[in-house]
Amino acid sequence: MMVAALAVPALLTSACGEERDPAQEAADVAEIRAMHDNPPAVPVDPQRISYSDIEKNDLFGAGCGFAPENSLSVIALAQPDRGFLKLGGEILTLSPDKGGASLPMDSWQNYSGSDFAFELMRTSETGEQSGVEATSWPGSLRISDRQGKTVYEAGGTLQCGA
């Protein structure tokens, strides 16, 4: 059946007096297969991790939180032994890459789970004291899906403290 489906376009183009370059035809088929086998990333919209989420899921502890620009709402938490995102109303727990780059308060730059991973970055080495035990830096958050495709990216504030 597949042979017949490929033969029809070839017959139609040759019937019109047009000859197709076999190499170009193979490249076109490969491009279509690649698009089918490797679909585009589906963007996500991380939600605010509220104090009630922290209480309900026992997310207390020292670490770092990320809030996107023009917001005070934390959408990612990084702690020494776990990281958190809230997607679709659900708190996701991710594991740190303890062999990678570290952040203050024994937290890590990279965390991954079964469906998503995130990377927190300080975009400046100069931080500003923002509380008795907290420091803030300009930062960024990148969330990727299980294929490693970026599904969310934002600049904002990375705040670390106890």
Short mmCIF file of all heavy atoms in Angstrom, two decimals, residues 47-51 54 65-77 130 136 155-159:
data_model
loop_
_atom_site.label_atom_id
_atom_site.label_comp_id
_atom_site.label_asym_id
_atom_site.label_seq_id
_atom_site.Cartn_x
_atom_site.Cartn_y
_atom_site.Cartn_z
N GLN A 47 2.98 27.86 36.85
CA GLN A 47 2.11 28.61 37.75
C GLN A 47 2.85 28.98 39.03
O GLN A 47 3.86 28.36 39.39
CB GLN A 47 0.89 27.76 38.09
CG GLN A 47 0.05 27.44 36.87
CD GLN A 47 -0.91 26.32 37.15
OE1 GLN A 47 -0.49 25.23 37.50
NE2 GLN A 47 -2.20 26.59 37.03
N ARG A 48 2.29 29.93 39.73
CA ARG A 48 2.85 30.40 40.99
C ARG A 48 2.78 29.27 42.02
O ARG A 48 1.75 28.60 42.18
CB ARG A 48 2.03 31.59 41.47
CG ARG A 48 2.42 32.11 42.84
CD ARG A 48 1.60 33.34 43.19
NE ARG A 48 0.29 33.01 43.69
CZ ARG A 48 0.00 32.91 44.99
NH1 ARG A 48 0.93 33.10 45.90
NH2 ARG A 48 -1.22 32.62 45.36
N ILE A 49 3.89 29.07 42.72
CA ILE A 49 3.92 28.13 43.84
C ILE A 49 3.55 28.95 45.08
O ILE A 49 4.34 29.76 45.55
CB ILE A 49 5.30 27.47 43.98
CG1 ILE A 49 5.63 26.68 42.70
CG2 ILE A 49 5.33 26.56 45.21
CD1 ILE A 49 7.04 26.11 42.65
N SER A 50 2.34 28.77 45.54
CA SER A 50 1.81 29.59 46.65
C SER A 50 2.26 29.04 48.00
O SER A 50 2.78 27.91 48.11
CB SER A 50 0.28 29.60 46.59
OG SER A 50 -0.22 28.30 46.87
N TYR A 51 2.04 29.84 49.03
CA TYR A 51 2.37 29.39 50.38
C TYR A 51 1.55 28.16 50.75
O TYR A 51 2.06 27.25 51.40
CB TYR A 51 2.17 30.51 51.41
CG TYR A 51 2.75 30.13 52.75
CD1 TYR A 51 4.12 30.14 52.95
CD2 TYR A 51 1.91 29.70 53.79
CE1 TYR A 51 4.66 29.75 54.17
CE2 TYR A 51 2.44 29.31 55.00
CZ TYR A 51 3.82 29.34 55.20
OH TYR A 51 4.35 28.94 56.39
N ILE A 54 3.26 25.26 49.36
CA ILE A 54 4.45 24.94 50.16
C ILE A 54 4.04 24.16 51.40
O ILE A 54 4.65 23.13 51.72
CB ILE A 54 5.21 26.24 50.52
CG1 ILE A 54 5.83 26.83 49.24
CG2 ILE A 54 6.28 25.97 51.58
CD1 ILE A 54 6.40 28.22 49.38
N GLY A 65 14.55 30.41 44.73
CA GLY A 65 13.27 30.50 44.02
C GLY A 65 13.43 31.45 42.85
O GLY A 65 14.23 32.39 42.90
N PHE A 66 12.68 31.21 41.81
CA PHE A 66 12.74 32.08 40.62
C PHE A 66 11.37 32.71 40.40
O PHE A 66 10.34 32.03 40.40
CB PHE A 66 13.11 31.28 39.37
CG PHE A 66 13.08 32.12 38.13
CD1 PHE A 66 14.14 32.95 37.80
CD2 PHE A 66 11.96 32.13 37.31
CE1 PHE A 66 14.10 33.76 36.67
CE2 PHE A 66 11.90 32.93 36.18
CZ PHE A 66 12.98 33.75 35.86
N ALA A 67 11.38 34.04 40.20
CA ALA A 67 10.18 34.80 39.84
C ALA A 67 10.45 35.50 38.52
O ALA A 67 11.49 36.16 38.36
CB ALA A 67 9.83 35.81 40.92
N PRO A 68 9.55 35.37 37.54
CA PRO A 68 9.77 36.05 36.25
C PRO A 68 9.70 37.57 36.40
O PRO A 68 9.18 38.08 37.39
CB PRO A 68 8.63 35.52 35.37
CG PRO A 68 7.63 34.94 36.28
CD PRO A 68 8.31 34.61 37.57
N GLU A 69 10.25 38.26 35.41
CA GLU A 69 10.25 39.73 35.41
C GLU A 69 8.86 40.28 35.71
O GLU A 69 7.86 39.71 35.29
CB GLU A 69 10.73 40.26 34.07
CG GLU A 69 12.20 40.05 33.84
CD GLU A 69 12.67 40.57 32.50
OE1 GLU A 69 11.89 41.19 31.76
OE2 GLU A 69 13.84 40.34 32.20
N ASN A 70 8.84 41.40 36.40
CA ASN A 70 7.60 42.10 36.75
C ASN A 70 6.64 41.25 37.59
O ASN A 70 5.43 41.41 37.50
CB ASN A 70 6.89 42.62 35.50
CG ASN A 70 7.78 43.53 34.69
OD1 ASN A 70 8.51 44.34 35.24
ND2 ASN A 70 7.75 43.37 33.39
N SER A 71 7.19 40.32 38.36
CA SER A 71 6.36 39.47 39.20
C SER A 71 7.10 39.14 40.49
O SER A 71 8.33 39.07 40.50
CB SER A 71 6.02 38.17 38.47
OG SER A 71 5.30 37.30 39.32
N LEU A 72 6.37 38.95 41.54
CA LEU A 72 6.95 38.49 42.80
C LEU A 72 6.60 37.02 43.03
O LEU A 72 6.97 36.44 44.05
CB LEU A 72 6.42 39.33 43.96
CG LEU A 72 6.77 40.82 43.91
CD1 LEU A 72 6.09 41.57 45.05
CD2 LEU A 72 8.28 41.02 43.96
N SER A 73 5.89 36.42 42.11
CA SER A 73 5.42 35.04 42.25
C SER A 73 6.49 34.04 41.86
O SER A 73 6.96 34.01 40.71
CB SER A 73 4.19 34.81 41.37
OG SER A 73 3.14 35.65 41.78
N VAL A 74 6.87 33.19 42.79
CA VAL A 74 7.86 32.15 42.53
C VAL A 74 7.21 31.04 41.71
O VAL A 74 6.14 30.55 42.04
CB VAL A 74 8.40 31.59 43.87
CG1 VAL A 74 9.26 30.36 43.65
CG2 VAL A 74 9.18 32.67 44.60
N ILE A 75 7.89 30.67 40.61
CA ILE A 75 7.36 29.61 39.74
C ILE A 75 8.28 28.39 39.69
O ILE A 75 7.93 27.38 39.08
CB ILE A 75 7.06 30.12 38.31
CG1 ILE A 75 8.32 30.65 37.64
CG2 ILE A 75 5.95 31.17 38.35
CD1 ILE A 75 8.14 30.98 36.16
N ALA A 76 9.46 28.48 40.31
CA ALA A 76 10.38 27.34 40.39
C ALA A 76 11.12 27.43 41.72
O ALA A 76 11.53 28.52 42.14
CB ALA A 76 11.37 27.35 39.24
N LEU A 77 11.27 26.29 42.37
CA LEU A 77 12.02 26.21 43.62
C LEU A 77 13.15 25.21 43.45
O LEU A 77 12.94 24.13 42.89
CB LEU A 77 11.13 25.73 44.77
CG LEU A 77 10.11 26.69 45.34
CD1 LEU A 77 9.23 25.97 46.38
CD2 LEU A 77 10.80 27.88 45.99
N SER A 130 18.51 40.93 50.08
CA SER A 130 17.08 41.21 49.99
C SER A 130 16.32 40.78 51.24
O SER A 130 15.12 40.65 51.22
CB SER A 130 16.48 40.57 48.74
OG SER A 130 16.73 39.19 48.73
N SER A 136 19.36 38.32 46.23
CA SER A 136 18.70 38.25 44.92
C SER A 136 19.68 38.61 43.81
O SER A 136 20.53 39.48 43.98
CB SER A 136 17.52 39.23 44.86
OG SER A 136 16.54 38.86 45.80
N GLY A 155 13.40 35.62 31.79
CA GLY A 155 14.32 36.31 32.67
C GLY A 155 13.55 36.76 33.89
O GLY A 155 12.32 36.85 33.87
N GLY A 156 14.26 37.05 34.97
CA GLY A 156 13.59 37.50 36.18
C GLY A 156 14.55 37.60 37.33
O GLY A 156 15.70 38.01 37.16
N THR A 157 14.09 37.20 38.50
CA THR A 157 14.88 37.29 39.73
C THR A 157 15.07 35.91 40.35
O THR A 157 14.12 35.17 40.53
CB THR A 157 14.18 38.20 40.75
OG1 THR A 157 13.99 39.49 40.16
CG2 THR A 157 15.01 38.36 42.01
N LEU A 158 16.31 35.62 40.67
CA LEU A 158 16.65 34.41 41.39
C LEU A 158 16.99 34.84 42.81
O LEU A 158 17.88 35.66 43.03
CB LEU A 158 17.87 33.73 40.75
CG LEU A 158 18.37 32.45 41.42
CD1 LEU A 158 17.33 31.35 41.30
CD2 LEU A 158 19.68 32.03 40.79
N GLN A 159 16.22 34.35 43.78
CA GLN A 159 16.44 34.71 45.18
C GLN A 159 16.77 33.45 45.96
O GLN A 159 16.05 32.46 45.88
CB GLN A 159 15.22 35.39 45.79
CG GLN A 159 15.47 35.85 47.21
CD GLN A 159 14.27 36.56 47.79
OE1 GLN A 159 13.21 35.95 47.93
NE2 GLN A 159 14.44 37.83 48.13
#
